[in-house]
């Protein structure tokens, strides 16, 4: 799989994790064209399953599943540092780390979302080189896996997106968790 395809997969997954509003529902057909990953068919299959299941659901059911999964699901919310830190002080340090890391690499985050929001992280990954992605996603891989484990694709179509994310991370060599101290030591900050 070319790295360009991985970046595209990250961008598509980021979009698919957005709130299923009218615009989202209208874009489902178009998205089928955006999930063309000839080098890695398992990612395409997971995302195709997601889109297929979306088409089978009413708009109100899609919204209900989204809210119950991500807004009310403590173990499946999309804030990756919340999984390990909750509202503790350490989470603030993680948020600052991410915000600075994005800034160093030319990716500005608005104040509308916290920098540990998985769609933001995926959007970042869709715009930077592979060696820049690895420290961040290695650091938070355990949390991403935990979110994925709490969303079974048989019961919840969002599980397919989580599986696709983990497959894409594995393709670029992120399949084991790196201790936080290792990523902090290997990453320099300049303001």
């Amino acid at each position: 799989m070319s790295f360009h395809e991985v970046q595209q997969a990250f961008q598509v997954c980021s979009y698919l994790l957005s709130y299923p509003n009218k615009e989202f529902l209208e874009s489902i057909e178009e998205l089928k064209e955006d999930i063309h990953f000839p080098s890695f068919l398992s990612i395409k299959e997971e995302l195709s399953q997601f889109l297929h299941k979306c088409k089978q659901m009413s708009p109100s059911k899609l919204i209900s599943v989204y809210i119950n999964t991500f807004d009310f699901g403590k173990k499946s919310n999309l804030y990756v540092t919340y999984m390990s830190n909750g509202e503790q002080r350490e989470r603030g340090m993680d948020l600052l780390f991410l915000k600075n890391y994005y800034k160093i690499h030319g990716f500005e985050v608005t104040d509308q979302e916290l920098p540990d929001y998985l769609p933001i992280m995926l959007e970042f990954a869709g715009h930077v080189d592979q060696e820049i992605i690895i420290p961040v996603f290695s650091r938070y891989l355990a949390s991403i896996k935990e979110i994925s484990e709490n969303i079974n694709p048989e019961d919840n179509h969002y599980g397919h997106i989580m599986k696709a994310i983990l497959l894409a991370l594995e393709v670029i060599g992120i399949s084991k968790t790196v201790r936080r101290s290792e990523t902090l030591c290997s990453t320099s900050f300049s303001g």
Side-chain angles (χ1 to χ4, degrees), residues 49-61:
Q49 286 282 341
F50 173 82
L51 293 174
H52 175 74
K53 290 179 180 180
C54 281
K55 287 187 71 171
Q56 307 301 314
M57 300 170 83
S58 69
S60 61
K61 178 68 174 172

Side-chain angles (χ1 to χ4, degrees), residues 87-104:
E87 295 296 334
Q88 298 175 13
R89 186 175 74 93
E90 291 81 10
R91 183 169 184 221
M93 295 181 341
D94 278 325
L95 296 173
L96 182 61
F97 163 78
L98 285 166
K99 188 173 184 177
N100 286 334
Y101 195 81
Y102 296 157
K103 187 175 183 179
I104 288 168

Side-chain angles (χ1 to χ4, degrees), residues 17-20 62-71 117 158:
L17 287 173
S18 62
Y19 184 81
L62 283 169
I63 290 169
S64 174
V65 171
Y66 183 90
I67 290 170
N68 287 321
T69 303
F70 301 125
D71 294 343
Y117 186 55
Y158 285 103

Side-chain angles (χ1 to χ4, degrees), residues 39-54:
S39 301
F40 208 61
L41 297 178
S42 55
I43 292 174
K44 179 180 180 175
E45 178 60 29
E46 291 298 335
L47 297 178
S48 294
Q49 286 282 341
F50 173 82
L51 293 174
H52 175 74
K53 290 179 180 180
C54 281

Side-chain angles (χ1 to χ4, degrees), residues 3 7 101 124-135 172:
F3 181 64
Q7 286 179 306
Y101 195 81
F124 170 73
H127 290 91
V128 296
D129 293 333
Q130 183 172 339
E131 64 272 4
I132 295 169
I133 297 169
I134 291 174
I172 61 170

Side-chain angles (χ1 to χ4, degrees), residues 137-148:
F137 281 88
S138 295
R139 180 176 178 157
Y140 300 109
L141 181 63
S143 294
I144 295 168
K145 283 182 177 179
E146 186 175 347
I147 295 167
S148 181

